[in-house]
Amino acid sequence: MEQAQRGRPAEGAGKGSRIARLSGAVLLGLAVLGAGASARADNAPACSSASARLKGQSAIPGLAGKLFRHQPIRILAIGSSSTEGIGASSPDHTYPAQLEDDLAALWKEPVTVVNSGKGGETVIQTIERLEAALKADRYDLVIWQVGTNDAINGVDETAFRALLERGISAVRQSGTEMVLLDQQYFPSIKDLARYERFVNAVSATGFERKIGVFSRYALMKEWNSRSPEELRSMLSADGFHMGDKGYDRLADCMADALQAMVEHSVAEARPTVTAAASVRDR
């Protein structure tokens, strides 16, 4: 708790000047945060469709606030093989490792992305590790890659959604912000209707719980629609997991999506700051 003020000034004394100082500082900080995107766009546009692939709630004010205060950012990337990096040539080529580099370069602040991926897991296994991780440490953001193994391994759809809800609740209760990363697209999906029901379950749950969802499924399907060769170039030799190029592109797109979320947080904060600044004129 912040130190209490000494003495009690007359009502309204100094209030306008204090809010004016706060408003000016916040507006300056928001301008600095917003500048990140334009710099990225001018120098290296990584994924022009990143914002279009981001569904649902797109604000992360807690993380944006830490960037404004120039504080280090800690992100937990949890999930199955796509997070662990199966198909990558080395740990440095996994998407969490590359996302860490991309965000540190984009935000000009220290960023740590903890890779907590474990290949082959379904949601019931990951959620136990997620709950334990949230108790053991504090994070500014959780990126939960979820749903692929559940869809292909016969997990009950209702049970899947209930566990997804449980995971979101655990993250919310810890005071941490969150983004869901949905299933991958791959050419040999056997039961497309079932698979897409699981994709839609992630999207719908995120929307209902006001959690941002980055649609990897839509992104990879777009690659395939442009050219099957483009998608194949993103995959490893097994035709299922991503390879180095795919993880690199995913990290770029995720970084751009997170920057878009920061910008959205900035835009949402502006009316509040403007209203606060007007107090000094009353």
Side-chain angles (χ1 to χ4, degrees), residues 151-172:
I152 64 179
N153 289 333
V155 171
D156 177 76
E157 295 174 40
T158 302
F160 169 75
R161 183 154 183 167
L163 288 167
L164 196 58
E165 293 269 7
R166 174 179 152 186
I168 291 171
S169 294
V171 175
R172 281 267 174 82

Side-chain angles (χ1 to χ4, degrees), residues 2 29 38 53-54 67 70 77 92 103 148 171 174 194 201 224 229 241 256 258 271 276:
E2 294 182 4
S38 60
R53 301 294 162 242
L54 187 63
L67 289 174
H70 301 289
D92 288 343
L103 292 177
T148 298
V171 175
S174 75
R194 171 183 162 83
N224 189 62
E229 288 74 22
H241 296 98
D256 281 0
L258 291 174

Side-chain angles (χ1 to χ4, degrees), residues 22-190:
L22 286 172
S23 300
V26 172
L27 285 170
L28 176 60
L30 296 180
V32 171
L33 283 177
S38 60
R40 175 69 172 256
D42 291 342
N43 295 327
C47 184
S48 60
S49 61
S51 295
R53 301 294 162 242
L54 187 63
K55 303 178 179 179
Q57 174 67 28
S58 57
I60 42 176
L63 188 148
K66 290 197 71 172
L67 289 174
F68 162 59
R69 296 188 295 272
H70 301 289
Q71 295 175 329
I73 302 297
R74 283 179 55 79
I75 297 173
L76 174 66
I78 193 165
S80 55
S81 56
S82 292
T83 300
E84 181 182 358
I86 302 299
S89 62
S90 74
D92 288 343
H93 286 91
T94 63
Y95 106 74
Q98 297 190 79
L99 179 62
E100 179 178 282
D101 291 342
D102 288 348
L103 292 177
L106 183 62
W107 291 339
K108 305 296 190 292
E109 301 293 347
V111 176
T112 300
V113 179
V114 177
N115 187 334
S116 187
K118 191 171 182 181
E121 282 191 339
T122 56
V123 65
I124 185 58
Q125 297 163 314
T126 305
I127 200 170
E128 293 172 353
R129 293 194 302 111
L130 173 60
E131 291 170 340
L134 292 170
K135 291 177 182 177
D137 209 341
R138 291 192 63 82
Y139 300 93
D140 302 300
L141 181 71
V142 170
I143 302 173
W144 187 10
Q145 170 255 312
V146 64
T148 298
N149 292 326
D150 302 87
I152 64 179
N153 289 333
V155 171
D156 177 76
E157 295 174 40
T158 302
F160 169 75
R161 183 154 183 167
L163 288 167
L164 196 58
E165 293 269 7
R166 174 179 152 186
I168 291 171
S169 294
V171 175
R172 281 267 174 82
Q173 289 168 9
S174 75
T176 309
E177 293 171 332
M178 185 179 200
V179 173
L180 295 172
L181 179 60
D182 73 4
Q183 295 89 334
Q184 69 223 63
Y185 173 81
F186 56 100
S188 58
I189 298 173
K190 292 182 179 179

